[in-house]
Amino acid sequence: TTDTIVQKQEDQAAVIISGSQSTLGIVNSCNAAFCRLSGRTRQDLEGQNVNVVIPEPWSCHHGEFMESYLRTGTAHILNKDRSPLFVRHSSGYLVPIGLQVK
């Protein structure tokens, strides 16, 4: 299950985001390392749109990027190193991250 995958990677921040049309962009699961990185709890994140941790100007376009992938099948970030990117910490600070999308 996705929870098992996320829990096995406790040394690295991990988050599983829905790619289904009806729940596109919703956080399904995250581990303690991601919670520490974002300054949020699992309860704060799971069931919410991933945009809560994506800073502007990217957060307002993230849904469009995901919908475009579902519509066209053209991946722009899958299996590519997307560093550095940033997560918006609950305090408002931006935290640099490396991103791997699979």
Side-chain angles (χ1 to χ4, degrees), residues 67-76:
E67 287 175 9
S68 174
Y69 170 68
L70 287 179
R71 188 176 57 256
T72 66
T74 303
H76 296 284

Side-chain angles (χ1 to χ4, degrees), residues 1-61:
T1 69
T2 58
D3 285 335
T4 304
I5 294 167
V6 168
Q7 298 313 317
K8 286 184 178 181
Q9 297 184 25
E10 283 297 322
D11 60 325
Q12 294 182 350
V15 60
I16 305 290
I17 300 164
S18 174
S20 299
Q21 185 68 41
S22 62
T23 57
L24 191 62
I26 299 300
V27 175
N28 288 334
S29 183
C30 59
N31 66 6
F34 188 80
C35 291
R36 286 189 301 275
L37 182 78
S38 68
R40 294 171 169 84
T41 66
R42 281 190 175 104
Q43 293 80 13
D44 292 337
L45 294 166
E46 292 176 356
Q48 299 300 311
N49 193 292
V50 71
N51 287 341
V52 300
V53 297
I54 299 175
E56 290 293 338
W58 304 283
S59 63
C60 65
H61 298 290

Side-chain angles (χ1 to χ4, degrees), residues 9 12 15 77 79-83 98-102:
Q9 297 184 25
Q12 294 182 350
V15 60
I77 66 167
N79 300 313
K80 295 179 184 174
D81 180 22
R82 300 296 290 196
S83 300
L99 177 69
Q100 229 179 46
V101 178
K102 295 185 177 202

